Amino acid sequence: MDLKDQLKSLFPEHEEKEVPKQDDANDLIWLQDDPLICKYEKRKGKPITIIEGYTGADKDFKQLAKEIKQMLSVGGSFKNEQIIIQGDFRNRIMAFLQKRGFKTKRVGG
């Protein structure tokens, strides 16, 4: 007896409702022809990764920043049309962006 059957025996009057799937965020973000610049810097002795060069809406770029931060489980921010991620994650970020359909360019070290 699986969990679904157990719940049906506990709540026989409950009817299952189909949950609509949310739209994939990839459909909402505008893809550009120019590559996104992914570079590495050190600020106050700590490594950071900067992504810049997005020409679409700020809302889309902020959504992309949120997804990257959640994927890496790190902090970061969106300032001056740049995504700033704490740590050196250029390879993982570039792989994520390429999987989403963006062209990327690695700059620095």
Side-chain angles (χ1 to χ4, degrees):
M1 183 179 254
D2 65 343
L3 184 61
K4 216 175 212 184
D5 294 333
Q6 290 176 0
L7 288 172
K8 280 186 180 183
S9 66
L10 288 173
F11 305 102
E13 67 277 351
H14 179 73
E15 295 178 14
E16 287 188 48
K17 295 180 183 175
E18 189 173 318
V19 179
K21 292 185 179 182
Q22 294 180 350
D23 292 329
D24 188 17
N26 191 19
D27 297 336
L28 303 175
I29 295 178
W30 180 74
L31 299 176
Q32 65 185 23
D33 294 332
D34 298 333
L36 293 178
I37 308 297
C38 189
K39 62 184 178 179
Y40 168 79
E41 283 186 13
K42 277 193 169 184
R43 292 188 182 171
K44 298 182 183 178
K46 299 188 185 230
I48 62 167
T49 304
I50 300 174
I51 301 136
E52 59 186 13
Y54 188 70
T55 56
D58 283 349
K59 181 181 78 168
D60 292 345
F61 208 37
K62 286 180 184 180
Q63 175 67 29
L64 193 62
K66 182 178 178 181
E67 291 175 16
I68 291 171
K69 291 189 295 184
Q70 287 177 346
M71 176 195 68
L72 298 172
S73 300
V74 296
S77 64
F78 175 81
K79 293 181 183 175
N80 303 328
E81 298 181 0
Q82 295 179 333
I83 298 174
I84 301 170
I85 303 293
Q86 296 173 355
D88 183 11
F89 295 105
R90 285 178 292 179
N91 295 333
R92 290 176 65 188
I93 291 172
M94 288 175 64
F96 173 77
L97 291 172
Q98 288 169 354
K99 189 172 82 174
R100 295 288 303 267
F102 287 98
K103 295 177 186 172
T104 59
K105 185 174 181 180
R106 184 181 181 127
V107 175

Coordinates of all heavy atoms in Angstrom, one line a residue, residues 24-69:
D24 N 8.0 27.2 -18.0 CA 9.4 27.2 -17.8 C 10.0 28.6 -17.9 O 9.6 29.4 -18.8 CB 10.1 26.3 -18.8 CG 11.5 26.0 -18.6 OD1 12.0 26.3 -17.4 OD2 12.2 25.6 -19.5
A25 N 10.9 29.0 -17.0 CA 11.5 30.3 -17.0 C 12.3 30.6 -18.3 O 12.5 31.7 -18.7 CB 12.4 30.5 -15.8
N26 N 12.7 29.5 -18.9 CA 13.5 29.7 -20.2 C 12.6 30.4 -21.3 O 13.1 31.1 -22.1 CB 14.0 28.3 -20.7 CG 15.0 28.4 -21.8 OD1 15.6 29.5 -22.0 ND2 15.2 27.4 -22.5
D27 N 11.3 30.1 -21.3 CA 10.5 30.7 -22.2 C 10.3 32.2 -22.0 O 10.0 32.9 -22.9 CB 9.1 30.0 -22.2 CG 9.2 28.6 -22.6 OD1 10.1 28.2 -23.3 OD2 8.3 27.8 -22.2
L28 N 10.5 32.6 -20.8 CA 10.3 34.0 -20.4 C 11.5 34.9 -20.6 O 11.3 36.1 -20.8 CB 9.8 34.1 -19.0 CG 8.6 33.3 -18.6 CD1 8.3 33.4 -17.1 CD2 7.4 33.8 -19.4
I29 N 12.7 34.3 -20.7 CA 13.9 35.1 -20.7 C 14.3 35.3 -22.2 O 14.4 34.3 -22.9 CB 15.0 34.5 -19.9 CG1 14.6 34.5 -18.4 CG2 16.3 35.2 -20.1 CD1 15.7 33.9 -17.5
W30 N 14.5 36.6 -22.6 CA 14.9 36.9 -23.9 C 16.4 36.4 -24.2 O 17.3 36.8 -23.4 CB 14.8 38.4 -24.2 CG 15.2 38.8 -25.5 CD1 14.5 38.6 -26.7 CD2 16.3 39.5 -25.9 NE1 15.1 39.2 -27.8 CE2 16.3 39.7 -27.3 CE3 17.4 40.0 -25.2 CZ2 17.3 40.4 -28.0 CZ3 18.4 40.6 -25.9 CH2 18.3 40.8 -27.3
L31 N 16.6 35.7 -25.3 CA 18.0 35.3 -25.6 C 18.5 36.2 -26.6 O 17.9 36.6 -27.6 CB 17.9 33.9 -26.2 CG 17.4 32.8 -25.3 CD1 17.3 31.4 -26.0 CD2 18.3 32.6 -24.0
Q32 N 19.8 36.6 -26.4 CA 20.4 37.6 -27.3 C 21.5 36.9 -28.2 O 21.9 35.8 -27.9 CB 21.0 38.7 -26.5 CG 22.2 38.2 -25.6 CD 22.7 39.3 -24.7 OE1 22.0 40.3 -24.5 NE2 24.0 39.2 -24.3
D33 N 21.9 37.6 -29.2 CA 22.9 37.1 -30.1 C 24.3 37.3 -29.6 O 25.2 36.4 -29.8 CB 22.8 37.7 -31.5 CG 21.5 37.4 -32.2 OD1 20.9 36.3 -31.9 OD2 21.0 38.2 -33.0
D34 N 24.5 38.4 -28.9 CA 25.8 38.7 -28.4 C 26.1 37.8 -27.2 O 25.2 37.5 -26.4 CB 25.9 40.1 -28.0 CG 25.8 41.1 -29.1 OD1 26.1 40.7 -30.3 OD2 25.3 42.2 -28.9
P35 N 27.4 37.4 -26.9 CA 27.7 36.6 -25.8 C 27.6 37.3 -24.5 O 27.9 38.5 -24.4 CB 29.1 36.1 -26.1 CG 29.7 37.1 -27.0 CD 28.5 37.7 -27.8
L36 N 27.3 36.6 -23.4 CA 27.4 37.2 -22.1 C 28.8 37.1 -21.6 O 29.5 36.0 -21.8 CB 26.5 36.4 -21.1 CG 25.0 36.6 -21.3 CD1 24.2 35.7 -20.3 CD2 24.5 38.0 -21.2
I37 N 29.4 38.1 -21.0 CA 30.7 38.1 -20.5 C 30.8 37.6 -19.1 O 30.1 38.1 -18.2 CB 31.3 39.5 -20.5 CG1 31.1 40.2 -21.9 CG2 32.8 39.6 -20.1 CD1 31.8 39.6 -23.0
C38 N 31.6 36.5 -18.9 CA 31.7 35.9 -17.5 C 33.2 36.1 -17.1 O 34.1 35.5 -17.7 CB 31.4 34.4 -17.6 SG 31.2 33.6 -16.1
K39 N 33.4 37.0 -16.1 CA 34.7 37.2 -15.7 C 34.9 37.1 -14.2 O 34.0 37.0 -13.4 CB 35.2 38.6 -16.1 CG 34.4 39.8 -15.5 CD 34.8 41.1 -16.1 CE 34.0 42.3 -15.6 NZ 34.5 43.5 -16.2
Y40 N 36.2 36.9 -13.8 CA 36.6 36.7 -12.4 C 37.3 37.9 -11.9 O 38.2 38.5 -12.6 CB 37.5 35.4 -12.4 CG 38.2 35.2 -11.1 CD1 37.6 34.6 -10.1 CD2 39.6 35.5 -11.0 CE1 38.3 34.3 -8.9 CE2 40.3 35.3 -9.8 CZ 39.6 34.7 -8.8 OH 40.3 34.4 -7.6
E41 N 37.0 38.3 -10.6 CA 37.7 39.3 -10.0 C 37.9 39.0 -8.5 O 37.3 38.1 -8.0 CB 36.9 40.7 -10.0 CG 36.9 41.4 -11.4 CD 36.2 42.7 -11.3 OE1 35.9 43.2 -10.2 OE2 36.0 43.3 -12.4
K42 N 38.8 39.7 -7.9 CA 38.9 39.6 -6.4 C 38.7 41.0 -5.8 O 39.2 42.0 -6.3 CB 40.3 39.2 -6.0 CG 40.6 37.7 -6.1 CD 41.8 37.3 -5.4 CE 41.9 35.9 -5.2 NZ 43.1 35.4 -4.5
R43 N 37.8 41.0 -4.9 CA 37.4 42.3 -4.2 C 37.7 42.0 -2.7 O 37.1 41.1 -2.1 CB 36.0 42.7 -4.4 CG 35.7 43.1 -5.9 CD 34.4 43.7 -6.1 NE 34.2 44.0 -7.5 CZ 33.0 44.4 -8.0 NH1 31.9 44.5 -7.2 NH2 32.9 44.6 -9.2
K44 N 38.5 42.9 -2.1 CA 38.9 42.7 -0.7 C 39.4 41.3 -0.4 O 39.1 40.8 0.6 CB 37.7 43.1 0.2 CG 37.2 44.5 0.0 CD 36.1 44.8 1.0 CE 35.6 46.2 0.7 NZ 34.5 46.6 1.6
G45 N 40.1 40.8 -1.4 CA 40.7 39.4 -1.2 C 39.8 38.3 -1.4 O 40.2 37.1 -1.3
K46 N 38.5 38.5 -1.7 CA 37.6 37.4 -1.9 C 37.2 37.3 -3.4 O 37.0 38.3 -4.1 CB 36.3 37.7 -1.1 CG 36.7 37.7 0.4 CD 35.4 37.8 1.2 CE 35.9 37.9 2.6 NZ 35.3 37.0 3.5
P47 N 37.1 36.1 -3.9 CA 36.8 35.9 -5.3 C 35.3 36.1 -5.6 O 34.5 35.8 -4.8 CB 37.2 34.4 -5.6 CG 37.0 33.8 -4.3 CD 37.4 34.8 -3.2
I48 N 35.1 36.7 -6.8 CA 33.7 36.9 -7.2 C 33.7 36.6 -8.7 O 34.7 36.8 -9.4 CB 33.1 38.3 -6.9 CG1 33.9 39.4 -7.7 CG2 33.0 38.6 -5.5 CD1 33.3 40.7 -7.7
T49 N 32.5 36.2 -9.2 CA 32.3 36.0 -10.6 C 31.3 37.1 -11.1 O 30.2 37.3 -10.4 CB 31.7 34.6 -10.9 OG1 32.6 33.7 -10.3 CG2 31.5 34.4 -12.4
I50 N 31.6 37.8 -12.2 CA 30.7 38.8 -12.7 C 30.2 38.4 -14.1 O 31.0 38.0 -14.9 CB 31.5 40.2 -12.8 CG1 31.9 40.6 -11.4 CG2 30.6 41.2 -13.4 CD1 32.8 41.8 -11.4
I51 N 28.9 38.5 -14.3 CA 28.3 38.3 -15.6 C 27.7 39.6 -16.1 O 26.9 40.2 -15.3 CB 27.2 37.2 -15.5 CG1 27.8 35.9 -14.9 CG2 26.5 36.9 -16.8 CD1 26.9 35.3 -13.9
E52 N 28.0 40.0 -17.3 CA 27.6 41.2 -17.8 C 27.4 41.1 -19.3 O 27.8 40.1 -19.9 CB 28.5 42.4 -17.5 CG 29.9 42.2 -18.0 CD 30.8 43.3 -17.5 OE1 30.5 44.1 -16.6 OE2 31.9 43.4 -18.1
G53 N 26.8 42.1 -19.9 CA 26.6 42.2 -21.3 C 25.2 41.8 -21.8 O 25.0 41.6 -23.0
Y54 N 24.2 41.7 -20.9 CA 22.9 41.3 -21.3 C 22.2 42.6 -21.8 O 22.2 43.6 -21.1 CB 22.1 40.7 -20.1 CG 20.8 40.2 -20.5 CD1 20.7 39.0 -21.2 CD2 19.6 40.8 -20.0 CE1 19.4 38.5 -21.5 CE2 18.4 40.3 -20.3 CZ 18.3 39.1 -21.1 OH 17.1 38.6 -21.4
T55 N 21.5 42.5 -22.9 CA 20.9 43.7 -23.5 C 19.4 43.7 -23.4 O 18.7 44.6 -23.9 CB 21.3 43.9 -25.0 OG1 20.9 42.7 -25.7 CG2 22.8 44.1 -25.2
G56 N 18.8 42.7 -22.7 CA 17.4 42.5 -22.6 C 16.9 43.4 -21.4 O 17.6 44.2 -20.9
A57 N 15.7 43.0 -20.9 CA 15.1 43.7 -19.8 C 15.8 43.4 -18.5 O 16.2 42.3 -18.3 CB 13.6 43.4 -19.7
D58 N 15.8 44.4 -17.6 CA 16.4 44.1 -16.3 C 15.7 43.0 -15.5 O 16.3 42.3 -14.8 CB 16.4 45.4 -15.4 CG 17.4 46.4 -15.9 OD1 18.3 46.0 -16.6 OD2 17.4 47.6 -15.4
K59 N 14.4 42.9 -15.7 CA 13.6 41.9 -15.0 C 14.0 40.5 -15.4 O 14.2 39.7 -14.5 CB 12.1 42.1 -15.4 CG 11.2 41.1 -14.7 CD 9.7 41.3 -15.1 CE 9.6 40.7 -16.5 NZ 8.2 40.6 -16.9
D60 N 14.3 40.3 -16.7 CA 14.8 39.0 -17.1 C 16.2 38.7 -16.5 O 16.5 37.6 -16.1 CB 14.9 39.0 -18.6 CG 13.5 39.0 -19.3 OD1 12.5 38.8 -18.6 OD2 13.5 39.3 -20.5
F61 N 17.1 39.7 -16.5 CA 18.4 39.5 -16.0 C 18.4 39.2 -14.5 O 19.1 38.4 -14.0 CB 19.3 40.7 -16.3 CG 20.7 40.5 -16.5 CD1 21.2 39.3 -17.0 CD2 21.7 41.4 -16.0 CE1 22.6 39.1 -17.2 CE2 23.0 41.2 -16.2 CZ 23.5 40.0 -16.7
K62 N 17.5 39.9 -13.8 CA 17.3 39.6 -12.3 C 16.8 38.2 -12.1 O 17.3 37.5 -11.2 CB 16.3 40.6 -11.7 CG 16.9 42.0 -11.5 CD 15.9 42.9 -10.9 CE 16.4 44.3 -10.8 NZ 15.5 45.3 -10.2
Q63 N 15.9 37.7 -12.9 CA 15.4 36.4 -12.8 C 16.5 35.4 -13.1 O 16.6 34.4 -12.4 CB 14.3 36.1 -13.8 CG 13.8 34.7 -13.9 CD 13.1 34.3 -12.6 OE1 12.5 35.1 -11.9 NE2 13.1 33.0 -12.4
L64 N 17.4 35.7 -14.0 CA 18.5 34.8 -14.3 C 19.5 34.8 -13.2 O 20.0 33.7 -12.8 CB 19.2 35.3 -15.6 CG 20.2 34.4 -16.2 CD1 19.6 33.1 -16.7 CD2 20.9 35.1 -17.4
A65 N 19.7 35.9 -12.5 CA 20.6 36.0 -11.4 C 20.0 35.2 -10.2 O 20.8 34.4 -9.6 CB 20.7 37.5 -10.9
K66 N 18.7 35.2 -10.0 CA 18.1 34.4 -9.0 C 18.3 32.9 -9.2 O 18.6 32.2 -8.3 CB 16.6 34.8 -8.9 CG 15.9 34.1 -7.8 CD 14.4 34.5 -7.8 CE 13.7 33.7 -6.7 NZ 12.3 34.1 -6.7
E67 N 18.1 32.5 -10.5 CA 18.3 31.1 -10.8 C 19.7 30.6 -10.6 O 19.9 29.5 -10.1 CB 17.8 30.9 -12.2 CG 16.3 31.0 -12.4 CD 15.9 30.9 -13.9 OE1 16.8 30.4 -14.7 OE2 14.8 31.2 -14.2
I68 N 20.7 31.5 -11.0 CA 22.1 31.1 -10.8 C 22.4 31.0 -9.3 O 23.1 30.0 -8.9 CB 23.0 32.1 -11.5 CG1 22.8 32.0 -13.0 CG2 24.4 31.9 -11.1 CD1 23.5 33.1 -13.8
K69 N 22.0 31.9 -8.5 CA 22.3 31.9 -7.1 C 21.6 30.7 -6.4 O 22.3 30.0 -5.6 CB 21.8 33.2 -6.4 CG 22.6 34.4 -6.8 CD 22.2 35.6 -6.0 CE 20.8 36.1 -6.2 NZ 20.5 37.3 -5.4

